[in-house]
Amino acid sequence: MAKMLKNLVAAGVLTALAAPVAQAADYSDDIHKNDYKWLQFNLMRSEGNKIPFGAQDTTYLEMEFGGRSGLFDLYGYLDVFDIFDSKGDDRYGGDNFFFKFAPRLSLDALTKTDLSFGPVQELYIATVTNVADSGAFGGLFEHYVGLGSDIQMPWFGKMGLNLYGRYVRENYGAPDEGKWDGYMLSTNWFKPFYHFDNGSFVAYQGYLDYKFGASTIGAEAGRTKDALEWFNGIYWHSDRYAVGYGLKAYNNMAFFKDGSDGTGFTQDTSGVGHYFAVTYKF
């Protein structure tokens, strides 16, 4: 997995060097000229995902949303696990939800200045907040803050690329609570690559989150300083529906060391898992 990470970074650098010069975001006459919004509900099934403590197979409902309004770019989702209350679900009787909220503030729009350069189309103050259930050991409440961008890449077109610092407000009682601990490099993409005569299309969509430098949590038994999640989805889209499959690669998911029993549970947190989705768009 470490070799794969090095190859990914090298490929990313080479691709960025070969990227075309991006067209700047234009807010000169109307700050809301590029506004849009979207909302959809996804019925999801995960199989063999490398979630800590064996929460690998579950059926859940996801409300996913995003858009742009003036200064702000927004993405987020709310997952409600074990939606059918099934005793065969790994989440049965456990955590009920996970919430991600990721607004970005456009520096180009805020300053009314063209900050584009090379493949970089627009710059942002980027944030992410993750929240999960509170239980016997507390809950999850973490923040990421940093510099974000939209970049133009060969074939992919526009992609998000963000670098954050990680602040931990709550983490199930772990020693990194109340501290800045580590960083995250993230990117995301949505690339339609095959179009049908009826207007529907097939897209390659996904994201990569690489967390690193988390020395406080990494010093604990059974934990690591770095973690990787890399989602690769192939989805068919129409105006109202989508159906898709995603292959997700993990390395030490959520800073839990794969194969270690240092947490009192032998963790299975590296490898690949599978997602199946049916979507209704509003």
Side-chain angles (χ1 to χ4, degrees):
M1 187 64 75
K3 183 178 180 180
M4 183 188 75
L5 287 175
K6 292 179 181 178
N7 291 338
L8 281 173
V9 172
V13 170
L14 291 173
T15 303
L17 291 174
V21 175
Q23 182 178 358
D26 180 14
Y27 298 98
S28 58
D29 56 344
D30 181 3
I31 198 172
H32 289 284
K33 67 186 298 181
N34 300 314
D35 286 4
Y36 67 94
K37 58 186 174 181
W38 57 274
L39 170 68
Q40 62 189 39
F41 280 84
N42 310 312
L43 182 61
M44 307 284 296
R45 175 65 185 176
S46 70
E47 292 284 346
N49 285 277
K50 307 306 178 183
I51 311 300
F53 299 99
Q56 298 189 348
D57 304 335
T58 185
T59 302
Y60 61 100
L61 184 66
E62 179 174 84
M63 181 181 71
E64 191 177 17
F65 55 89
R68 178 69 184 250
S69 179
L71 298 173
F72 295 97
D73 172 89
L74 176 64
Y75 174 75
Y77 62 83
L78 172 66
D79 291 342
V80 181
F81 300 117
D82 185 24
I83 193 64
F84 296 124
D85 193 28
S86 169
K87 291 183 179 179
D89 195 296
D90 286 347
R91 297 274 190 169
Y92 180 78
D95 287 349
N96 296 312
F97 76 88
F98 179 85
F99 176 59
K100 179 175 183 176
F101 184 62
R104 301 189 301 172
L105 172 64
S106 170
L107 293 174
D108 294 62
L110 180 66
T111 62
K112 297 184 179 179
T113 302
D114 175 10
L115 300 176
S116 65
F117 59 93
V120 177
Q121 181 180 23
E122 190 168 1
L123 291 175
Y124 301 86
I125 297 173
T127 70
V128 177
T129 295
N130 294 328
V131 184
D133 269 354
S134 291
F137 300 101
L140 177 70
F141 206 142
E142 61 179 2
H143 306 280
Y144 296 83
V145 181
L147 181 65
S149 66
D150 290 335
I151 60 175
Q152 289 289 334
M153 300 298 286
W155 189 76
F156 282 94
K158 187 171 81 169
M159 299 175 63
L161 180 64
N162 311 291
L163 178 63
Y164 312 88
R166 174 177 177 261
Y167 178 77
V168 183
R169 180 170 163 182
E170 299 176 25
N171 189 16
Y172 302 101
D176 56 354
E177 291 189 339
K179 298 178 181 179
W180 290 94
D181 189 32
Y183 307 90
M184 179 170 70
L185 179 67
S186 69
T187 185
N188 56 79
W189 59 90
F190 183 91
K191 173 60 180 180
F193 65 88
Y194 187 87
H195 295 265
F196 296 96
D197 292 340
N198 63 2
S200 65
F201 59 89
V202 179
Y204 171 43
Q205 58 194 75
Y207 62 88
L208 187 150
D209 291 341
Y210 177 52
K211 302 173 184 178
F212 61 97
S215 56
T216 300
I217 194 65
E220 292 296 293
R223 308 303 293 268
T224 63
K225 296 180 181 180
D226 61 276
L228 173 74
E229 298 176 54
W230 181 20
F231 183 84
N232 298 271
I234 301 295
Y235 282 65
W236 169 83
H237 289 266
S238 69
D239 289 341
R240 194 62 64 189
Y241 301 98
V243 178
Y245 163 75
L247 178 72
K248 190 171 182 179
Y250 299 86
N251 187 47
N252 299 325
M253 168 67 175
F255 302 109
F256 285 89
K257 187 175 182 179
D258 183 52
S260 172
D261 59 3
T263 58
F265 182 98
T266 303
Q267 300 291 349
D268 180 17
T269 54
S270 296
V272 297
H274 310 275
Y275 284 85
F276 305 89
V278 178
T279 294
Y280 182 80
K281 304 176 185 181
F282 284 80

